Amino acid sequence: MTEIDQHPLFPALDEAVRSGLPTAISDLGSLVRIPSVSWDGFDPAHVVASADAIRGLVEGLGVFDSVQVSTAPIDGDRHGHPAVLATRAARNGRPTILLYAHHDVQPPGKDEDWESAPFEPTVRGDRLYGRGAADDKAGVMAHIAALRAFVDTVGPDFDLGLAVFIEGEEEFGSRSFANFITQHRDELAADVIVVADSDNWDVDTPSLTVALRGMVAFKLTVSTLAHASHSGMFGGAAPDAMLAMIRLLSTFHAEDGSVAVDGMASRDAATPEYSEDRLAEEAALLPGVRPVGRGSVLSRMWNQPAITITGVDAPTVEQASNTLLPTVTVKVSARVAPGQSASSAFEAIERHIAANAPFGATVTIDDVDLGNPFLVDTTGWAVAEAEDAMRQAWGRPAMETGIGGSIPFISELVDVFPQAQILVTGVEDPDSRAHSPNESLHLGVFRRAILTEAVLLAKLEDRA
Ligand SMILES: [Zn+2]
């Protein structure tokens, strides 16, 4: 292995992270036990409880000027879920670093799909299982454990400015996020923002996420008849809405499954080697099923658009009668390549739908949800510092990666704090199964992610 230049405090930070790891895992387990699902229809008291628990952990560090739990309005009287916000002013010209993660989680789905109960943290092998064990309570605990190791090593009298922002509704659209950061603009202002909510190339190789796709989601309704009719009587002459919908949806993709909507852009950028076999394994393709799209596999997920139909409102098979359906609704969920705005991608899809509605069908679009893609400026000093910290903590170079998923609030952060350098890091790996049953955290990845951030804090403390 090649020699790696280490920070002078690296051995002490490494030791502090190792000795603090059992406590970090047990604190993470306590957070996983709180079912802080932020979706409507789930008890919001759990999200309040998890914010309070995190406030306790942050206060326990003893280095912040202020620690608060706070909400912001969504619109009018409705407020979002509580976030934890802690700040410590920079001294002697040192930079300020903002550490972001979220403490709310996705719904667990069906208990029987889990090998151990979703809110009962369970270690099997080198992984901790539970809803939120990775996404993103491990991100929360990585920040706290890194701060503990940093403070253990340098003492409480350091100059680095700190802000910690632990959001409570990332999994439900960050609905009050824009208002929250506007209200707390001064407290959140930072030179470097670490968003610990992404993944790593594999359990041995760290990643800095530098490209994120955006998203466009909406409801699409196709209507062809004023009322349902007997399918034996009129079928073959009167067009039913399902036929029209199928015809319309089939125009979204070319024969090979790539998106065929004029005006949805792709980004031209190199991607690391990633085989169709690895895709088949990680995405669980059934035997004989072939990947869709064209170009390198990762360019399809990182740099090209995608369109997926994620729901259909139509009679169930059991309820199906011999009827021509007058109207059908689907949920369209599209991903937008980095470099194109979500609104321009949406306009392209809208034009495509208007031009391809078959049989003169009536087509309506509602509930449009847009999130912009994001490209990190990788030329800033913070990216270099973070990649060097990863190299030290993992013992191998970091990869700059894209992700197919979207974190729309990042572009909102950039709008409010255009000077800040954004680092998208994470505690996940390809087996984490965030949002799915049997979500888990690799404990080796967790330790290396904590150490990376502790080293980064030490490096920033050195910057005058
Ligand atoms: Zn997340």
Side-chain angles (χ1 to χ4, degrees):
M1 201 157 114
T2 48
E3 202 59 35
I4 292 164
D5 274 343
Q6 286 181 343
H7 189 276
L9 294 178
F10 183 88
L13 291 166
D14 187 29
E15 178 49 38
V17 169
R18 282 177 199 276
S19 61
L21 193 62
T23 309
I25 294 170
S26 123
D27 287 342
L28 174 55
S30 304
L31 294 180
V32 169
R33 282 200 173 86
I34 306 170
S36 51
V37 179
S38 53
W39 290 26
D40 280 351
F42 291 80
D43 187 351
H46 297 306
V47 187
V48 174
S50 93
D52 285 338
I54 290 161
R55 175 186 28 204
L57 294 171
V58 173
E59 278 172 349
L61 285 156
V63 295
F64 288 96
D65 304 331
S66 96
V67 183
Q68 55 176 305
V69 170
S70 192
T71 61
I74 299 168
D75 50 44
D77 292 343
R78 286 198 309 153
H79 269 240
H81 288 292
V84 181
L85 176 58
T87 55
R88 171 186 170 107
R91 300 187 304 209
N92 299 319
R94 294 304 197 282
T96 295
I97 184 168
L98 165 61
L99 305 175
Y100 169 92
H102 63 87
H103 67 90
D104 63 312
V105 297
Q106 289 270 325
K110 293 198 222 98
D111 266 14
E112 57 265 33
D113 293 335
W114 287 75
E115 283 176 44
S116 49
F119 297 110
E120 184 52 49
T122 305
V123 175
R124 287 194 296 278
D126 12 355
R127 307 191 72 95
L128 174 71
Y129 289 82
R131 172 56 85 236
D135 181 14
D136 185 28
K137 286 171 171 169
V140 175
M141 278 315 303
H143 292 323
I144 291 169
L147 286 166
R148 284 175 181 162
F150 174 69
V151 175
D152 280 355
T153 304
V154 304
D157 194 29
F158 54 90
D159 291 336
L160 180 65
L162 296 175
V164 172
F165 173 30
I166 309 296
E167 194 197 352
E169 53 182 13
E170 196 277 339
E171 302 292 7
F172 199 59
S174 298
R175 297 176 302 171
S176 65
F177 186 88
N179 287 333
F180 194 98
I181 58 176
T182 311
Q183 278 183 3
H184 296 277
R185 177 193 283 262
D186 294 342
E187 293 139 286
L188 291 165
D191 302 287
V192 178
I193 301 177
V194 178
V195 176
D197 193 19
S198 189
D199 63 0
N200 291 285
W201 180 254
D202 59 32
V203 296
D204 300 311
T205 315
S207 299
L208 195 65
T209 302
V210 298
L212 297 104
R213 287 197 290 194
M215 56 163 289
V216 170
F218 56 88
K219 276 181 6 191
L220 170 66
T221 301
V222 169
S223 304
T224 52
L225 305 169
H227 58 76
S229 297
H230 191 291
S231 58
M233 198 101 85
F234 296 105
D240 64 283
M242 187 60 90
L243 172 61
M245 180 65 90
I246 290 168
R247 279 289 179 91
L248 173 57
L249 297 183
S250 73
T251 65
F252 284 174
H253 299 90
E255 203 55 46
D256 62 8
S258 59
V259 169
V261 173
D262 258 358
M264 282 194 90
S266 292
R267 171 178 177 242
D268 194 14
T271 51
E273 182 57 41
Y274 179 101
S275 67
E276 291 200 342
D277 288 346
R278 181 167 170 189
L279 175 75
E281 182 175 336
E282 290 183 357
L285 272 60
L286 290 173
V289 174
R290 293 184 301 277
V292 294
R294 59 183 74 152
S296 81
V297 176
L298 287 178
S299 79
R300 301 177 217 175
M301 299 189 279
W302 295 356
N303 298 331
Q304 296 182 43
I307 303 181
T308 312
I309 306 306
T310 55
V312 181
D313 280 351
T316 62
V317 170
E318 206 173 337
Q319 298 289 327
S321 58
N322 292 328
T323 302
L324 298 176
L325 298 177
T327 193
V328 172
T329 298
V330 300
K331 177 80 183 264
V332 178
S333 168
R335 299 291 165 167
V336 181
Q340 180 170 35
S341 73
S343 59
S344 104
F346 173 62
E347 282 162 20
I349 300 173
E350 238 183 341
R351 280 195 306 273
H352 178 95
I353 288 171
N356 287 280
F359 316 125
T362 303
V363 174
T364 54
I365 290 174
D366 310 280
D367 294 355
V368 180
D369 196 8
L370 303 179
N372 276 320
F374 185 66
L375 281 173
V376 172
D377 173 6
T378 54
T379 61
W381 54 262
V383 165
E385 297 281 34
E387 290 183 349
D388 185 56
M390 284 178 170
R391 193 180 307 119
Q392 293 184 42
W394 294 64
R396 61 165 73 177
M399 291 180 67
E400 292 185 355
T401 58
I403 55 169
S406 309
I407 314 183
F409 71 77
I410 292 182
S411 59
E412 295 181 25
L413 269 179
V414 178
D415 289 344
V416 179
F417 304 111
Q419 309 306 327
Q421 302 184 65
I422 311 276
L423 302 171
V424 183
T425 66
V427 289
E428 292 175 30
D429 69 87
D431 283 331
S432 287
R433 299 194 199 173
H435 300 196
S436 303
N438 303 309
E439 175 182 347
S440 68
L441 170 73
H442 186 277
L443 296 173
V445 168
F446 186 47
R447 182 182 63 75
R448 291 186 280 277
I450 296 167
L451 182 55
T452 297
E453 202 166 291
V455 172
L456 179 64
L457 294 171
K459 289 164 74 69
L460 297 195
E461 170 71 5
D462 292 345
R463 282 189 82 89

